[in-house]
Amino acid sequence: MCFPLASFPRALRTLTFALGIAASLGAQTKLLHFPDIHNDKVAFTHGGDIWTAPSNGGTAVRLTAHPGLELFAKFSPDGKWIAFTGQYDGDEQVYVMPATGGVPKQLTFYPARGPLPVRWGYDNQVYGWTPDGTGIVFRSYRESWSLHDCRLYVVPMTGGLPVALEMPESGAGDLSPDAGKVIYSPLFRDFRSWKRYQGGWAADLFIFDRKTKSVEPVSQTPRTERDPMWIGNKIFFASDRTGTLNLFEYDIASKKTKQVTNYADWDVRWPSKGDNGEIVFELNGELAVYDTKAGGAAKRLKINVPNDGISSRPATVNVGNQVAEMFVSPKGERAGFVAHGDVFTAPIEKGAPRNLTRSSNAHDRLAVWSADGRKVLFVSDLSGEEELYTVEQDGNGKPEQITKGHKMRLYQPIWSADAKRIAFADRDGNIHVLKMEDKSEQIVAKEEHGQSTDYQWSPDSQWLAFSLSDKNGANVIYIWGVADGVLHRVTDGLFNCQNPVWDPDGNYLYYLSNREYQPLLSQAEFNYATTRTTGIYTFALRKDVKNPFPPQSDEVSIDDKDAKKPEPAKDAKKDGPAPVKIDFDGLAQRVKRVPVGFENYAGLQATKSYLIYGKFPNGYYGRNPETQTAIMMFGLKDRKESVFLEGANGFQVTETGNKILVRQGGQYALYDCNPKGKDSKKAVSTAALTVDRVPSQEYQQIFNEVWRRYRDFFYVKNMHGYDWEALRRQYSPQLEYVAHRSDLNYIISEMIGELNVGHAYIDGGEYERPARPRVALPGARFELDGPAGRFKISKIFKGQNEEPTYRSPL
C-alpha cells in the first residue's frame, strides 16, 4: 500500500532524512582520476573538474567548475600552487592556480592539436614541476608533424615561452632532483588501453643525461613500463610485467628492480609522486597512497565528493538533430524517426510529434510501420538483450515484447502486408520468420558470411525474397514460400544479384545485378578499377506474363469498324491483394534487363508505375566526387528515366507508393512519388523531438550494449581466453559513480582493455565541449631575444618536408 508522507510521524521522517544525509556524508566516491599529492592534500579530477581532499580521506572541495575538462592537477613543490591542463578557451592549455582555489592563469598559448581521438590523449598535458618550483613540465605536439612525435617542455610559472627539453621525442617524463637528468619514455601511449601488450608500442624507460646527452635503459621488459617518478636515488614506475599494472622500484646505483605493490585484479593507474616520498594512484576508481620510505601496503583513501551532479541530472532534452533512422506511415500522413534511442512519429503538416517508446534505459532502433498503419515494429534491448517489440502508432499503450531468447544482435524486421508475419535476421546470419498469431518462429535461411538484410515480402504475404552469398562470393537470389516452407534458388551465381523487390501486382520481381565490366585504367600504372557495374533486372514470375519491355516499333494503326470490341471485365470484389503465383520452372530464363544504363545503384524500390533507386557517384581518395547522389525514377510505361532529386542521402516510399520521404543532410521532406513530385515538397520538422533523459539509465544501457557488441562480434569466440561475463561483473559496479560521460568511456575502455587487443577504442558521447578556436600559424618558429627584449624568427618552414618524416602510428 502507498501512504502520503504526511501520515508518517514527523520524528520518523526527520530520522529518515538525517540517515540519508549521514549516508551521503560517509559515502565513498569512485572514478577519481589523475591524482597528485602534497603533504596532507590530494588533488584529482572527478566529473571533469579538479578537486582536493585530505590525504587521509574525507570530503573533497571543488576547485574548478568550467564546462570543459580540467585534468592532470600537479602540486608545486611548496604546495602553494596547482598546475593543470584546462579547456577554458576551447583547446587544451597549461594553467596554474592557487592550491586553495582561485582564478587560473594561462601559461601556454600555442594552438593545441585536436580535438584528438581518445587514444592520443590531450595536447599540453601537465606532468609535473621542475624541482625548484619555477616551471611546469608538460608534453606538447607543437613541433610535431605526426601525432607520435611529441616532446616535453618547461614553461615558467611566471609566464613566458616554453623551452623544450633536450630529448627529440618524449612521452611521460620526470626530472631528477638536481634537474640534470630526466627519466622518460620516448613513446607516448598513456591513453591506449592495451593491457599486457608486447610489441613495438610497449613503452620503455630511459635515463637521459641533459649534459652529456647519454641514454641509459631502465628495467626494461617486453611489456610496458610507464608513469616514471624520480624520488631520491630511486625511480618508481608502473609496469604490467606480472599481468596487471603495479608499482615497481628501480635502484639507480645497483640497477636492481623490485615490485612494491601486488594487485592482481585492478591496475595501478596514473601514479604521481609527492615531495615527501609518497605516491598516490588510482585503483578501482579509488585513490591509494604508497609511502616509499616506510614501504608496506598502500593506504586506501575513503573520499566523498559532494558533486552537484549536473552531468547526471535527469532532464528533457531536444534530440531533433540526432536522428539516426527514418520511416514513414503507409499512406504518408506521418513520418517516423529514431533519435537518441527512442522511436518517434511526427506530422507532415499539423499536430505534434509523439515519442512512442520513452525508454532512457533502452536503445530502440530499426522501426517500421505495419501495412495497416496500426502499429510500429522495432528492435529494443529493453529486456537486456535485443528483441522485437510492437507499439500502437498513436502513442497509447506500452511497447509489447513479441520475441524471447535472442541473445545476439538483431537486424531489420519487416512486416508482411497482412501483418501476420515478420521477417528479421540475426548476428549468425539466420533469416527468421515470426508468426504473429502464436509468436512461433522458424529459420528459413542462413547467410554463411555476415548477414542478409535485403529480404522483402510479396504483396500477398506468401513469399519472401532475399539474397544469400554463394560459394564463389557472389550473391544469389532466393524465394521462400510460406505454404510449403521450400527455399527456391532463382539466380545462377554467375553474377552478383541482390536487393529483390516485388512488383505490387505480383507479376515481376525486380533486382540489382553487377554485370557490366568496363574498368578504368590508371594513369600512374597499368592497373584498373571497376565501377558503375550495376544494372536493374526483372523476372517474369509466371510463364504467361508478358515481357515488360518488348521491342518498341512504330506501326500503322488500322481502324476495323467491324471488329468486335472486347467487353470490359466485371469488377470482382477482392479481399486483399491477388495471390502471387510463381512458375519456378524456367524462371531464370525469363530475365529481362530494365532499359537504364549501368551505374552505381542501391536502394531499389517499386511501385505500380515507377522504379525508384539511388544512383551514387564514384568515390575517390583525396577528393570529392564530381556529382551528387541522386534519387532516380524510371517510368514502367513510358520507359523514361529521370532525376527526381539530387543531394539526397536517404529515401523511403510509402506502402501505397504515392508518397516518398526524403532526407537531405539533416532535413526531411515528403513528396509525391512521381517525376513531377519534386515540386510538391512538404518539409517535416524534427525540431520538437524530445526525450526524457535519465543519464544513469543511459550509462547502464551503453555499457551493456558495448559489452554485448564485443560478445557478439569479437573476432575469436573464446574472447582471448578471458571470462567476458566475469569482466562485466567486475566493472559494472563503477557505473554508480559516473559523474561525467568521459567517466563512462573510461570504464568501458578499461573493460575492453582486459581482452588484450589493440585498436579497440571508446570515444564520443554527449557532454559539453567548449568551441575550439580557429587559428592560423605563420609558418615560422619564434624565440625570445632577451637582451633585445623582442621576439625573433629562428626558423621559417617552407613545407612539411622540413618537419620529421611521417610514420604511420598504430
Side-chain angles (χ1 to χ4, degrees):
M1 295 180 88
C2 295
F3 295 93
L5 182 61
S7 66
F8 285 91
R10 181 176 180 182
L12 180 59
R13 283 184 279 144
T14 304
L15 177 61
T16 303
F17 180 66
L19 289 174
I21 292 178
S24 65
L25 289 176
Q28 163 69 59
T29 304
K30 292 191 176 185
L31 299 181
L32 314 181
H33 304 304
F34 317 123
D36 193 43
I37 187 170
H38 180 80
N39 292 341
D40 61 347
K41 293 287 185 183
V42 290
F44 54 87
T45 291
H46 178 69
D49 295 320
I50 292 177
W51 302 71
T52 60
S55 59
N56 58 358
T59 300
V61 175
R62 189 202 302 263
L63 298 189
T64 67
H66 185 260
L69 298 174
E70 291 86 52
L71 312 162
F72 316 118
K74 297 291 183 181
F75 286 104
S76 61
D78 60 9
K80 295 180 179 180
W81 302 92
I82 290 179
F84 64 97
T85 302
Q87 293 180 328
Y88 285 100
D89 292 314
D91 62 355
E92 296 77 34
Q93 301 293 342
V94 176
Y95 292 83
V96 66
M97 66 179 174
T100 54
V103 178
K105 176 184 178 182
Q106 185 172 347
L107 297 182
T108 61
F109 297 87
Y110 194 92
R113 297 281 286 271
L116 300 173
V118 170
R119 64 184 180 273
W120 288 113
Y122 303 89
D123 202 353
N124 296 318
Q125 177 180 343
V126 170
Y127 278 107
W129 291 70
T130 57
D132 61 7
T134 61
I136 292 104
V137 179
F138 68 99
R139 179 190 53 78
S140 176
Y141 291 116
R142 62 183 57 211
E143 294 184 34
S144 64
W145 175 252
S146 63
L147 286 175
H148 70 282
D149 287 330
C150 50
R151 62 190 302 187
L152 292 175
Y153 297 80
V154 175
V155 61
M157 177 193 166
T158 55
L161 285 181
V163 176
L165 293 183
E166 292 79 2
M167 304 87 70
E169 294 182 26
S170 179
D174 188 30
L175 290 166
S176 62
D178 63 359
K181 296 181 179 180
V182 186
I183 175 66
Y184 82 109
S185 170
L187 294 177
F188 170 74
R189 53 173 293 261
D190 290 7
F191 290 85
R192 293 175 182 266
S193 52
W194 301 349
K195 299 177 188 285
R196 298 170 289 281
Y197 170 76
Q198 296 180 193
W201 270 80
D204 291 321
L205 298 180
F206 297 86
I207 295 175
F208 180 87
D209 190 308
R210 301 178 66 187
K211 183 177 292 185
T212 65
K213 307 300 187 288
S214 62
V215 176
E216 175 188 338
V218 171
S219 187
Q220 295 181 357
T221 67
R223 290 189 178 170
T224 293
E225 285 75 48
R226 54 171 291 170
D227 306 310
M229 297 160 284
W230 200 310
I231 301 177
N233 61 354
K234 295 180 180 179
I235 291 170
F236 291 82
F237 59 92
S239 174
D240 61 357
R241 61 186 68 186
T242 60
T244 54
L245 285 170
N246 273 286
L247 281 180
F248 288 79
E249 173 190 298
Y250 175 78
D251 186 281
I252 298 173
S254 66
K255 299 183 173 23
K256 292 183 179 180
T257 302
K258 72 175 182 178
Q259 185 174 347
V260 297
T261 64
N262 293 277
Y263 301 109
D265 296 328
W266 298 99
D267 288 314
V268 169
R269 297 306 313 271
W270 306 104
S272 182
K273 69 177 184 181
D275 291 285
N276 291 317
E278 318 97 326
I279 295 176
V280 63
F281 55 88
E282 178 188 341
L283 188 77
N284 186 17
E286 304 172 6
L287 299 188
V289 176
Y290 174 77
D291 190 335
T292 63
K293 296 178 180 178
K299 176 184 177 183
R300 301 251 189 138
L301 306 185
K302 191 173 184 179
I303 296 175
N304 173 45
V305 181
N307 195 339
D308 54 5
I310 291 296
S311 298
S312 56
R313 291 189 68 234
T316 299
V317 296
N318 188 285
V319 295
N321 62 345
Q322 298 180 29
V323 173
E325 305 167 23
M326 68 177 186
F327 58 106
V328 65
S329 64
K331 297 179 182 178
E333 306 95 334
R334 294 180 74 88
F337 302 100
V338 175
H340 201 87
D342 280 1
V343 178
F344 299 83
T345 71
I348 302 303
E349 292 187 84
K350 301 175 183 178
R354 299 170 186 149
N355 187 332
L356 302 184
T357 56
R358 298 187 180 279
S359 56
S360 192
N361 59 338
H363 182 189
D364 309 323
R365 60 191 188 90
L366 301 178
V368 60
W369 235 295
S370 60
D372 60 11
R374 295 178 183 275
K375 293 187 176 184
V376 171
L377 169 69
F378 60 97
V379 174
S380 177
D381 61 358
L382 185 62
S383 69
E385 294 285 352
E386 292 194 349
E387 303 289 355
L388 299 189
Y389 290 76
T390 61
V391 65
E392 297 292 333
Q393 67 86 29
D394 58 8
N396 294 323
K398 295 182 178 180
E400 176 190 359
Q401 183 178 338
I402 60 174
T403 63
K404 291 182 179 179
H406 290 284
K407 294 186 176 181
M408 62 181 68
R409 190 161 178 81
L410 302 183
Y411 293 87
Q412 185 65 63
I414 60 169
W415 295 93
S416 60
D418 59 10
K420 293 181 179 180
R421 290 176 175 81
I422 293 170
F424 64 98
D426 66 24
R427 175 207 62 186
D428 288 343
N430 298 311
I431 298 178
H432 299 252
V433 169
L434 168 73
K435 192 176 180 180
M436 288 295 293
E437 182 181 11
D438 57 7
K439 305 301 187 292
S440 61
E441 290 182 39
Q442 66 182 117
I443 296 174
V444 302
K446 181 178 176 61
E447 168 57 58
E448 297 293 342
H449 306 286
Q451 293 79 34
S452 173
T453 58
D454 61 356
Y455 32 83
Q456 291 290 321
W457 286 104
S458 61
D460 66 348
S461 306
Q462 297 303 300
W463 305 95
L464 189 69
F466 47 86
S467 68
L468 299 174
S469 61
D470 206 7
K471 292 181 179 179
N472 64 357
N475 275 24
V476 174
I477 291 179
Y478 288 81
I479 296 177
W480 174 83
V482 170
D484 57 12
V486 175
L487 186 64
H488 301 270
R489 175 173 173 150
V490 297
T491 61
D492 56 18
L494 181 61
F495 297 104
N496 193 57
C497 302
Q498 70 279 334
N499 193 178
V501 295
W502 299 84
D503 161 33
D505 291 329
N507 293 321
Y508 303 98
L509 184 72
Y510 300 97
Y511 62 98
L512 302 179
S513 183
N514 298 348
R515 303 195 181 192
E516 176 75 352
Y517 298 95
Q518 296 184 10
L520 303 174
L521 290 177
S522 169
Q523 293 182 349
E525 58 184 358
F526 190 75
N527 209 330
Y528 62 89
T530 56
T531 184
R532 299 165 62 182
T533 62
T534 307
I536 305 176
Y537 292 81
T538 183
F539 290 119
L541 294 175
R542 297 183 305 280
K543 295 177 181 179
D544 61 351
V545 173
K546 296 180 180 180
N547 180 354
F549 309 110
Q552 293 177 313
S553 177
D554 296 330
E555 299 292 343
V556 175
S557 61
I558 300 175
D559 187 9
D560 188 349
K561 296 181 180 180
D562 296 329
K564 186 177 180 180
K565 295 182 179 179
E567 295 182 4
K570 294 181 180 180
D571 293 332
K573 292 184 178 180
K574 294 189 296 182
D575 185 13
V580 176
K581 297 180 180 180
I582 303 175
D583 295 329
F584 288 102
D585 180 31
L587 181 59
Q589 283 70 51
R590 298 196 296 272
V591 175
K592 300 296 179 182
R593 177 185 160 197
V594 177
V596 296
F598 288 91
E599 283 289 349
N600 302 317
Y601 295 135
L604 180 64
Q605 299 183 39
T607 69
K608 290 187 176 183
S609 301
Y610 301 98
L611 297 179
I612 303 98
Y613 44 94
K615 184 171 76 171
F616 301 88
N618 296 322
Y620 298 94
Y621 284 112
R623 75 176 190 187
N624 295 324
E626 293 95 339
T627 59
Q628 293 182 307
T629 299
I631 299 175
M632 308 297 295
M633 286 189 176
F634 176 80
L636 294 172
K637 291 183 179 180
D638 61 13
R639 306 191 196 183
K640 291 183 178 179
E641 184 186 45
S642 59
V643 176
F644 177 73
L645 204 64
E646 290 186 326
N649 49 8
F651 68 93
Q652 184 173 357
V653 178
T654 61
E655 185 75 18
T656 61
N658 296 327
K659 302 289 183 180
I660 181 172
L661 181 65
V662 177
R663 174 174 183 166
Q664 287 181 292
Q667 305 298 317
Y668 302 85
L670 191 75
Y671 297 84
D672 293 338
C673 191
N674 59 68
K676 296 182 180 179
K678 64 182 69 178
D679 298 326
S680 64
K681 178 179 179 179
K682 292 182 179 179
V684 182
S685 174
T686 61
L689 303 186
T690 60
V691 299
D692 296 324
R693 180 172 181 258
V694 183
S696 60
Q697 294 180 353
E698 289 190 356
Y699 297 156
Q700 183 75 56
Q701 187 280 324
I702 293 169
F703 176 88
N704 288 334
E705 182 168 358
V706 171
W707 182 88
R708 291 197 311 270
R709 295 280 190 98
Y710 275 81
R711 176 199 66 185
D712 291 349
F713 298 106
F714 198 63
Y715 75 104
V716 286
K717 291 184 178 180
N718 73 344
M719 307 300 288
H720 278 180
Y722 295 99
D723 187 335
W724 192 227
E725 176 60 42
L727 287 170
R728 173 160 72 166
R729 293 194 301 268
Q730 178 180 348
Y731 281 91
S732 60
Q734 294 187 357
L735 295 172
E736 176 185 350
Y737 304 97
V738 172
H740 191 273
R741 177 53 199 269
S742 62
D743 291 336
L744 176 64
N745 293 354
Y746 178 81
I747 294 172
I748 296 173
S749 178
E750 289 295 297
M751 178 179 67
I752 293 172
E754 297 287 356
L755 294 176
N756 190 18
V757 61
H759 300 277
Y761 304 110
I762 300 297
D763 199 357
E766 287 185 279
Y767 55 90
E768 190 169 358
R769 297 174 175 86
R772 298 186 78 85
R774 296 174 61 87
V775 296
L777 298 175
R781 181 178 296 158
F782 293 84
E783 65 181 33
L784 180 63
D785 186 339
R790 296 175 180 272
F791 292 102
K792 67 178 181 179
I793 296 176
S794 61
K795 185 173 183 179
I796 296 177
F797 295 99
K798 299 178 181 179
Q800 71 181 51
N801 291 335
E802 296 192 25
E803 291 287 79
T805 302
Y806 177 75
R807 290 172 292 183
S808 179
L810 293 178

